Amino acid sequence: EIEVGDWSSDVCSSDLYSVWVDLCGFAVEFSHRHTITNLGNVFLLTIFFCTWSCDVGAYLVGTRFGRTPFCRKVSPKKTWEGFWAGVCASILCGAALALPFEFPPMPLVLLGAICGIAGQFGDLAESVLKREANIKESGKVIPGHGGFLDRFDSILVNATIAFFVFEVIGSMSIKIALIGATGSVGGAVLDICARFPDRFQIVAVASHSNVEALFPIAKRFGVRYKIEEHTSELQSPTSI
């Protein structure tokens, strides 16, 4: 069980609320920056859906199967069973969203993991704020739901961490060696790489039998190597 010490009594609640305002700024900046590169809608919707999936999964499993307290002093009803159910639900949601978004699954799975873990700690942090201020709800805008801040505490934390992660990782070009480049899945990956050339770089392509189709792909993406899978023959740029 996570213990919360006496440090909370020495922290001014107004200062903690200002931290939440700063987190809101990071969230807006994250959405704005990546909207410019056509990734904002995908990332922002993934953050919302994964966060909601986490909340639903944690609630359903926690209320039915929860036995081990997670942080009794801050939120007595939260359990470790509900916590891990929320993490799994968020990751699965990120993976599932890769299909309708036609986007590589791994970045969205990573975003799902961030939302599943960080979002729940963000919810706990907001609970600490309310206990610090000795109030039950953070506002009256959404009665019965803990207030407006309760609906967006996890979103703000998730968007902030996603901002730092994807500003570092996302600024790097991801190099891809594509197996089965002439198939339907390979074609979908090539389309995504064509949409985001600053994010993804095809460095090698492979085909089991339709070798001739590799030549236009190599020319289009400036591929350095092509591999004929049935012979495992590696050909240099001069061969292409």
Side-chain angles (χ1 to χ4, degrees), residues 37-39 42 100-104 188-200 220-221:
T37 59
N38 298 321
L39 297 177
V42 173
F101 289 154
E102 297 182 348
F103 199 81
V189 174
L190 291 173
D191 289 341
I192 293 173
C193 293
R195 287 167 55 192
F196 308 105
D198 57 329
R199 300 293 186 186
F200 306 105
R220 178 186 178 188
F221 291 93

mmCIF file of all heavy atoms in Angstrom, residues 37-39 42 100-104 188-200 220-221:
data_model
loop_
_atom_site.group_PDB
_atom_site.id
_atom_site.type_symbol
_atom_site.label_atom_id
_atom_site.label_comp_id
_atom_site.label_asym_id
_atom_site.label_seq_id
_atom_site.Cartn_x
_atom_site.Cartn_y
_atom_site.Cartn_z
ATOM 1 N N THR A 37 1.965 19.103 -37.074
ATOM 2 C CA THR A 37 2.581 17.995 -37.824
ATOM 3 C C THR A 37 1.573 16.884 -38.123
ATOM 4 O O THR A 37 1.957 15.761 -38.391
ATOM 5 C CB THR A 37 3.766 17.413 -37.019
ATOM 6 O OG1 THR A 37 3.280 16.947 -35.755
ATOM 7 C CG2 THR A 37 4.848 18.450 -36.795
ATOM 8 N N ASN A 38 0.285 17.191 -38.037
ATOM 9 C CA ASN A 38 -0.786 16.248 -38.374
ATOM 10 C C ASN A 38 -0.873 15.069 -37.406
ATOM 11 O O ASN A 38 -1.515 14.078 -37.721
ATOM 12 C CB ASN A 38 -0.629 15.723 -39.807
ATOM 13 C CG ASN A 38 -0.713 16.832 -40.828
ATOM 14 O OD1 ASN A 38 -1.520 17.744 -40.691
ATOM 15 N ND2 ASN A 38 0.113 16.772 -41.849
ATOM 16 N N LEU A 39 -0.235 15.168 -36.255
ATOM 17 C CA LEU A 39 -0.304 14.092 -35.276
ATOM 18 C C LEU A 39 -1.154 14.470 -34.068
ATOM 19 O O LEU A 39 -1.472 13.625 -33.240
ATOM 20 C CB LEU A 39 1.105 13.724 -34.790
ATOM 21 C CG LEU A 39 2.065 13.176 -35.833
ATOM 22 C CD1 LEU A 39 3.428 12.928 -35.209
ATOM 23 C CD2 LEU A 39 1.541 11.897 -36.440
ATOM 24 N N VAL A 42 -4.569 12.567 -33.504
ATOM 25 C CA VAL A 42 -4.363 11.168 -33.122
ATOM 26 C C VAL A 42 -3.936 11.067 -31.668
ATOM 27 O O VAL A 42 -4.508 10.310 -30.873
ATOM 28 C CB VAL A 42 -3.321 10.495 -34.039
ATOM 29 C CG1 VAL A 42 -2.986 9.090 -33.527
ATOM 30 C CG2 VAL A 42 -3.837 10.420 -35.466
ATOM 31 N N PRO A 100 -8.381 2.149 -36.432
ATOM 32 C CA PRO A 100 -9.146 3.218 -37.089
ATOM 33 C C PRO A 100 -8.293 4.420 -37.471
ATOM 34 O O PRO A 100 -8.600 5.111 -38.444
ATOM 35 C CB PRO A 100 -10.203 3.594 -36.039
ATOM 36 C CG PRO A 100 -9.632 3.151 -34.740
ATOM 37 C CD PRO A 100 -8.833 1.920 -35.050
ATOM 38 N N PHE A 101 -7.238 4.675 -36.715
ATOM 39 C CA PHE A 101 -6.370 5.810 -37.033
ATOM 40 C C PHE A 101 -5.375 5.483 -38.139
ATOM 41 O O PHE A 101 -4.705 6.389 -38.649
ATOM 42 C CB PHE A 101 -5.601 6.265 -35.784
ATOM 43 C CG PHE A 101 -6.462 6.947 -34.760
ATOM 44 C CD1 PHE A 101 -6.100 6.937 -33.423
ATOM 45 C CD2 PHE A 101 -7.630 7.596 -35.129
ATOM 46 C CE1 PHE A 101 -6.894 7.560 -32.466
ATOM 47 C CE2 PHE A 101 -8.428 8.227 -34.182
ATOM 48 C CZ PHE A 101 -8.055 8.212 -32.857
ATOM 49 N N GLU A 102 -5.251 4.188 -38.483
ATOM 50 C CA GLU A 102 -4.261 3.732 -39.468
ATOM 51 C C GLU A 102 -2.877 4.274 -39.108
ATOM 52 O O GLU A 102 -2.190 4.910 -39.906
ATOM 53 C CB GLU A 102 -4.661 4.185 -40.877
ATOM 54 C CG GLU A 102 -5.972 3.580 -41.354
ATOM 55 C CD GLU A 102 -6.327 4.008 -42.762
ATOM 56 O OE1 GLU A 102 -5.688 4.947 -43.282
ATOM 57 O OE2 GLU A 102 -7.242 3.410 -43.356
ATOM 58 N N PHE A 103 -2.489 3.971 -37.884
ATOM 59 C CA PHE A 103 -1.246 4.496 -37.322
ATOM 60 C C PHE A 103 -0.447 3.336 -36.746
ATOM 61 O O PHE A 103 -1.022 2.346 -36.294
ATOM 62 C CB PHE A 103 -1.583 5.502 -36.213
ATOM 63 C CG PHE A 103 -0.468 6.431 -35.862
ATOM 64 C CD1 PHE A 103 -0.211 7.549 -36.629
ATOM 65 C CD2 PHE A 103 0.331 6.184 -34.754
ATOM 66 C CE1 PHE A 103 0.823 8.417 -36.294
ATOM 67 C CE2 PHE A 103 1.357 7.041 -34.417
ATOM 68 C CZ PHE A 103 1.605 8.157 -35.191
ATOM 69 N N PRO A 104 0.899 3.411 -36.770
ATOM 70 C CA PRO A 104 1.708 2.345 -36.156
ATOM 71 C C PRO A 104 1.307 2.142 -34.699
ATOM 72 O O PRO A 104 1.144 3.118 -33.952
ATOM 73 C CB PRO A 104 3.143 2.883 -36.267
ATOM 74 C CG PRO A 104 3.120 3.807 -37.420
ATOM 75 C CD PRO A 104 1.750 4.432 -37.412
ATOM 76 N N ALA A 188 0.151 -0.649 -46.055
ATOM 77 C CA ALA A 188 -0.407 0.284 -45.074
ATOM 78 C C ALA A 188 0.712 1.014 -44.332
ATOM 79 O O ALA A 188 0.617 2.223 -44.073
ATOM 80 C CB ALA A 188 -1.297 -0.471 -44.089
ATOM 81 N N VAL A 189 1.779 0.271 -44.002
ATOM 82 C CA VAL A 189 2.923 0.900 -43.326
ATOM 83 C C VAL A 189 3.582 1.920 -44.230
ATOM 84 O O VAL A 189 3.964 3.020 -43.797
ATOM 85 C CB VAL A 189 3.939 -0.175 -42.890
ATOM 86 C CG1 VAL A 189 5.194 0.481 -42.315
ATOM 87 C CG2 VAL A 189 3.318 -1.112 -41.868
ATOM 88 N N LEU A 190 3.732 1.598 -45.509
ATOM 89 C CA LEU A 190 4.339 2.529 -46.465
ATOM 90 C C LEU A 190 3.504 3.802 -46.597
ATOM 91 O O LEU A 190 4.058 4.900 -46.719
ATOM 92 C CB LEU A 190 4.495 1.846 -47.826
ATOM 93 C CG LEU A 190 5.532 0.717 -47.897
ATOM 94 C CD1 LEU A 190 5.466 0.026 -49.251
ATOM 95 C CD2 LEU A 190 6.934 1.241 -47.627
ATOM 96 N N ASP A 191 2.198 3.660 -46.572
ATOM 97 C CA ASP A 191 1.333 4.838 -46.659
ATOM 98 C C ASP A 191 1.536 5.758 -45.465
ATOM 99 O O ASP A 191 1.564 6.989 -45.599
ATOM 100 C CB ASP A 191 -0.135 4.402 -46.733
ATOM 101 C CG ASP A 191 -0.487 3.767 -48.066
ATOM 102 O OD1 ASP A 191 0.271 3.995 -49.039
ATOM 103 O OD2 ASP A 191 -1.507 3.038 -48.135
ATOM 104 N N ILE A 192 1.675 5.153 -44.273
ATOM 105 C CA ILE A 192 1.896 5.961 -43.065
ATOM 106 C C ILE A 192 3.249 6.660 -43.140
ATOM 107 O O ILE A 192 3.377 7.838 -42.797
ATOM 108 C CB ILE A 192 1.809 5.069 -41.820
ATOM 109 C CG1 ILE A 192 0.380 4.552 -41.649
ATOM 110 C CG2 ILE A 192 2.258 5.829 -40.566
ATOM 111 C CD1 ILE A 192 0.219 3.529 -40.560
ATOM 112 N N CYS A 193 4.252 5.938 -43.606
ATOM 113 C CA CYS A 193 5.586 6.539 -43.733
ATOM 114 C C CYS A 193 5.576 7.676 -44.742
ATOM 115 O O CYS A 193 6.306 8.664 -44.588
ATOM 116 C CB CYS A 193 6.600 5.478 -44.149
ATOM 117 S SG CYS A 193 6.901 4.212 -42.889
ATOM 118 N N ALA A 194 4.760 7.551 -45.782
ATOM 119 C CA ALA A 194 4.659 8.616 -46.784
ATOM 120 C C ALA A 194 3.960 9.841 -46.196
ATOM 121 O O ALA A 194 4.278 10.975 -46.562
ATOM 122 C CB ALA A 194 3.901 8.102 -48.003
ATOM 123 N N ARG A 195 3.015 9.604 -45.286
ATOM 124 C CA ARG A 195 2.292 10.712 -44.646
ATOM 125 C C ARG A 195 3.166 11.462 -43.661
ATOM 126 O O ARG A 195 3.002 12.669 -43.465
ATOM 127 C CB ARG A 195 1.055 10.182 -43.940
ATOM 128 C CG ARG A 195 -0.072 9.753 -44.874
ATOM 129 C CD ARG A 195 -1.123 8.963 -44.116
ATOM 130 N NE ARG A 195 -1.633 9.693 -42.954
ATOM 131 C CZ ARG A 195 -2.373 9.138 -42.005
ATOM 132 N NH1 ARG A 195 -2.682 7.841 -42.063
ATOM 133 N NH2 ARG A 195 -2.824 9.855 -41.000
ATOM 134 N N PHE A 196 4.081 10.747 -43.009
ATOM 135 C CA PHE A 196 4.928 11.372 -41.992
ATOM 136 C C PHE A 196 6.406 11.111 -42.298
ATOM 137 O O PHE A 196 7.089 10.381 -41.563
ATOM 138 C CB PHE A 196 4.571 10.836 -40.603
ATOM 139 C CG PHE A 196 3.114 10.932 -40.273
ATOM 140 C CD1 PHE A 196 2.307 9.798 -40.279
ATOM 141 C CD2 PHE A 196 2.537 12.150 -39.974
ATOM 142 C CE1 PHE A 196 0.960 9.878 -39.971
ATOM 143 C CE2 PHE A 196 1.179 12.240 -39.669
ATOM 144 C CZ PHE A 196 0.394 11.111 -39.678
ATOM 145 N N PRO A 197 6.930 11.684 -43.380
ATOM 146 C CA PRO A 197 8.321 11.410 -43.768
ATOM 147 C C PRO A 197 9.354 11.935 -42.773
ATOM 148 O O PRO A 197 10.481 11.440 -42.740
ATOM 149 C CB PRO A 197 8.447 12.134 -45.119
ATOM 150 C CG PRO A 197 7.401 13.206 -45.065
ATOM 151 C CD PRO A 197 6.275 12.634 -44.297
ATOM 152 N N ASP A 198 8.959 12.912 -41.949
ATOM 153 C CA ASP A 198 9.892 13.438 -40.962
ATOM 154 C C ASP A 198 9.983 12.551 -39.735
ATOM 155 O O ASP A 198 10.893 12.705 -38.913
ATOM 156 C CB ASP A 198 9.487 14.849 -40.545
ATOM 157 C CG ASP A 198 8.067 14.910 -40.004
ATOM 158 O OD1 ASP A 198 7.246 14.093 -40.464
ATOM 159 O OD2 ASP A 198 7.790 15.769 -39.149
ATOM 160 N N ARG A 199 9.058 11.588 -39.601
ATOM 161 C CA ARG A 199 9.039 10.711 -38.434
ATOM 162 C C ARG A 199 9.577 9.312 -38.736
ATOM 163 O O ARG A 199 10.150 8.673 -37.866
ATOM 164 C CB ARG A 199 7.606 10.584 -37.897
ATOM 165 C CG ARG A 199 6.993 11.903 -37.478
ATOM 166 C CD ARG A 199 7.680 12.494 -36.286
ATOM 167 N NE ARG A 199 7.004 13.685 -35.807
ATOM 168 C CZ ARG A 199 7.467 14.468 -34.847
ATOM 169 N NH1 ARG A 199 8.603 14.181 -34.258
ATOM 170 N NH2 ARG A 199 6.803 15.537 -34.470
ATOM 171 N N PHE A 200 9.333 8.838 -39.956
ATOM 172 C CA PHE A 200 9.679 7.461 -40.286
ATOM 173 C C PHE A 200 10.561 7.422 -41.546
ATOM 174 O O PHE A 200 10.294 8.111 -42.522
ATOM 175 C CB PHE A 200 8.408 6.632 -40.528
ATOM 176 C CG PHE A 200 7.427 6.689 -39.397
ATOM 177 C CD1 PHE A 200 6.277 7.454 -39.505
ATOM 178 C CD2 PHE A 200 7.655 5.998 -38.219
ATOM 179 C CE1 PHE A 200 5.363 7.519 -38.468
ATOM 180 C CE2 PHE A 200 6.756 6.057 -37.181
ATOM 181 C CZ PHE A 200 5.609 6.825 -37.302
ATOM 182 N N ARG A 220 10.927 5.154 -54.514
ATOM 183 C CA ARG A 220 10.036 6.140 -53.902
ATOM 184 C C ARG A 220 10.532 6.612 -52.551
ATOM 185 O O ARG A 220 10.479 7.813 -52.233
ATOM 186 C CB ARG A 220 8.635 5.537 -53.765
ATOM 187 C CG ARG A 220 7.618 6.451 -53.084
ATOM 188 C CD ARG A 220 6.316 5.702 -52.859
ATOM 189 N NE ARG A 220 5.333 6.521 -52.165
ATOM 190 C CZ ARG A 220 4.173 6.069 -51.702
ATOM 191 N NH1 ARG A 220 3.856 4.772 -51.865
ATOM 192 N NH2 ARG A 220 3.335 6.867 -51.074
ATOM 193 N N PHE A 221 11.050 5.688 -51.744
ATOM 194 C CA PHE A 221 11.446 6.031 -50.381
ATOM 195 C C PHE A 221 12.962 6.159 -50.213
ATOM 196 O O PHE A 221 13.429 6.378 -49.092
ATOM 197 C CB PHE A 221 10.916 4.975 -49.400
ATOM 198 C CG PHE A 221 9.420 4.994 -49.241
ATOM 199 C CD1 PHE A 221 8.623 4.178 -50.018
ATOM 200 C CD2 PHE A 221 8.808 5.845 -48.330
ATOM 201 C CE1 PHE A 221 7.248 4.186 -49.891
ATOM 202 C CE2 PHE A 221 7.431 5.863 -48.196
ATOM 203 C CZ PHE A 221 6.643 5.037 -48.978
#
